[in-house]
Amino acid sequence: MKFAAALVVFILLFILLIRLAENKLIFFPTKYPIGYWQPQAFGLNLRDCFFKTTDGVQLHGWFLQHDTAAATLLWCTGNAGNISDRLDNLSRLSRLPINVFIFGYRGYGKSAGSPNEEGVYLDALAAYDFLLTLPEVQPDKIILFGRSLGGAVAIDLATKRPAAGLILESTFTSAADMAWAAYGLPLHLIIKTKFDSVNKIQQIHLPLLMIHGERDRVVPLRLGRKLFDAANPPKEFYEIAGADHNDTYIIGGPAYFAKLWDFIAHVTQ
């Protein structure tokens, strides 16, 4: 009896601990001034943008303007670091004739607040609506781009706002599937976070490009394939041989950026 009681107490304490630490198990933000905040060192002339969410949180983003932009890429990032960690990637994207808007979720970089699932959805909505206020942006030529956890954010945004296309990279089906993949535990029975992309994507009817590294050790390739299978056409799956989770654009090289541009040019023509 004592053992059974102790086991029940342990399980209850474990559940309580997981619930209290839930967001810290999912989001790994770094706050300003941590990071590399000198975009000019990468040859980038970025516009600092500050805007607010509907629940009053001030966010920060960078707008990269191209004088002959064919489209605007709204970039929803992954769950670690902040936007300053994406400068190398951003500098390579700057070679394409597109505008790019990358923003920090609440609690990341120069953005206020603390992240949670519903909060990052509101952040993406605010970023999208902010883009509509910029004269350089053509509303019918916005491409949603989500990488890793940002894929779940971009999918949610695509159910609420129009776009010319959707690009998902190294992303997953749901928090439940990721819990099994990362920890081998049914943590979805405990946590509130869902990131239910596999069901949401069935509501979306946008041209879709999905990109995934063959050797992704964070989000298994099979989860990317499962999400792709649930999506509506038109859609294309682009697998990058030898790529892990964070190096798709490096391993993919010029072919990766050519694939991005072919998709963007096609859906915005």
Side-chain angles (χ1 to χ4, degrees), residues 180-199:
W180 277 112
Y183 303 108
L185 295 171
L187 295 181
H188 63 287
L189 299 176
I190 302 172
I191 63 176
K192 295 183 293 183
T193 303
K194 303 300 180 188
F195 287 121
D196 189 12
S197 296
V198 72
N199 283 312

Side-chain angles (χ1 to χ4, degrees), residues 240-257:
I240 301 177
D244 200 346
H245 188 67
N246 294 311
D247 61 3
T248 46
Y249 74 98
I250 297 171
I251 299 299
Y256 167 93
F257 291 98

Side-chain angles (χ1 to χ4, degrees), residues 51-59 106 111-113 119 122-123 126:
F51 53 100
K52 284 193 174 182
T53 63
T54 55
D55 61 340
V57 179
Q58 179 168 276
L59 304 180
R106 57 189 66 201
S111 295
L122 291 177
D123 297 343

